[in-house]
Amino acid sequence: MAKMWAGRTDSVTAKAADDFNSSVAVDGRMFRQDIEGSLAHAEMLAGCGIITYAEFGEIAEGLKGILADIESGALKIDPEAEDVHMFVEAELTARIGDAGKKLHTARSRNDQVAVDMRLYLREESAEVVALVKELLRAVLLQAKATKEFILPGYTHLQRAQPIVFAHHLLAYAMMFVRDIGRINDAVRRMNVSPLGSCALAGTTYDTDRTFTAKKLGFDGVSMNSIDGVSDRDFCVELISAFALVMTHLSRFAEEVVLWTSSEFGFVELDDAYTTGSSIMPQKKNSDMAELVRGKTGRVYGDLMAMLTVLKGLPLAYNKDMQEDKECVFDALDTVKACLGIFAPMIATMKPHRENMYRAAGKGFINATDLADYLVGKGMPFRTAYKTVGETVALCIKEDKTLEELPMEEYKKISDLYDEGLYDAISLVNCVRRRTSEGGTGAASVNRQIAFVEEFVK
Ligand code: ARG
């Protein structure tokens, strides 16, 4: 196929080489950003007297026509094109002739890739942030409804201490709040215009990079033309932020899978977000949660692939970098799809208060509170810890809970035990008395809810 860059070579490349080289199937999705960047560039060229305003007018009209035609479906992005940048430029020249050939003055495709990616990822990141906020709203909805649902909190997946379900859910809310912070940080660092780097060394034309940067909504201009076109650290940062979103989703997903099992029975998912088995009629599977957990690996893989593409690349642009899009788009699509399904799944799930409470009644999760009770009577904590350990052993032997063990049995172990202990170890009181900042007590839970509510506004 003959190329726009024909000249040095006869440009007749093998079909297999064309196919291997082409990135249009992947970068075609950036056609809007490519046209937006070209419009700003052409206006700058006219403003600097490098092309005439009449030529800019022709270019702008041509580019807007192409945009409208791609959007309406009248123009299909040619799958044989080398990439979206070549496609748009070739189409422009086909439509308007010589003026189209002037568009690429004082610009390189390396600039275009670096600009288009930033514009595209800036927009898409805002969508990811909006999706995370949607999930936060779902978490809030459930948290507000479960402020008094007592269940065991776990460490090592062993019942540890009583908490309320809202507190557990809000732990995830805090993670997602930080995820949004990380995405926004990455976008802020990324939002610098490389346009006008001109392949790598800058240009002899008297251009105005600040003009195009402003026009495209960048906060500034990259200070070094080599850096501007040859780093993809912003892709690494974004994928890394997405990977952490996936980590948090995956842990949450795993808990949903556990909670919906008959062994736990803490939560029931809405039928709309579950599947059945082809053979076992009783099954209601948490496929959405499992898939989210499963897809986490893809995003980790994208991050590793992106880092590896960059490792050892000499400055400036190398074709290896074309692979950046496959990594970052896959991570982006995956995180969006996962958030998109997770938020409504959480919003519609039904927490089962009784099952949670029943689980909380087993496993001696109020043992710490019993020890604290003895401390209140003057016993040193380490001694109290040991005394309660012996009490638990006695309960196990007699197949009783701490609440069920009669006072005369308690007295056999320690004189400091008295009737007040039953009140101290009631699960409701255990939760109520955890008033420390950030704890599972009501005031702290309400503060967290208010904070997240304010955040998603
Ligand atoms: N499609 C390519 C990419 O995404 C553009 C290549 C630009 N530069 C070059 N000198 N070949 O990286």
Side-chain angles (χ1 to χ4, degrees), residues 154 192 257 278:
Y154 295 81
V192 165
V257 172
S278 62

Coordinates of all heavy atoms in Angstrom, one line a residue, residues 154 192 257 278:
Y154 N -14.1 -9.6 61.3 CA -13.2 -10.7 61.2 C -11.8 -10.2 61.1 O -11.5 -9.2 60.5 CB -13.5 -11.5 59.9 CG -14.9 -12.2 59.9 CD1 -16.0 -11.5 59.6 CD2 -15.0 -13.5 60.3 CE1 -17.3 -12.1 59.6 CE2 -16.2 -14.1 60.3 CZ -17.4 -13.4 60.0 OH -18.6 -14.0 60.0
V192 N -0.7 18.4 30.6 CA 0.3 19.4 30.1 C 0.4 19.1 28.6 O 0.5 17.9 28.2 CB 1.6 19.1 30.8 CG1 2.7 19.8 30.1 CG2 1.5 19.6 32.3
V257 N -19.2 -12.6 47.6 CA -19.3 -14.0 47.4 C -19.5 -14.8 48.7 O -20.3 -15.7 48.8 CB -18.1 -14.5 46.6 CG1 -18.1 -16.0 46.4 CG2 -18.0 -13.9 45.2
S278 N -26.6 -24.5 35.3 CA -27.3 -25.2 34.2 C -27.8 -26.6 34.6 O -28.6 -27.2 34.0 CB -26.3 -25.4 33.0 OG -25.2 -26.1 33.5

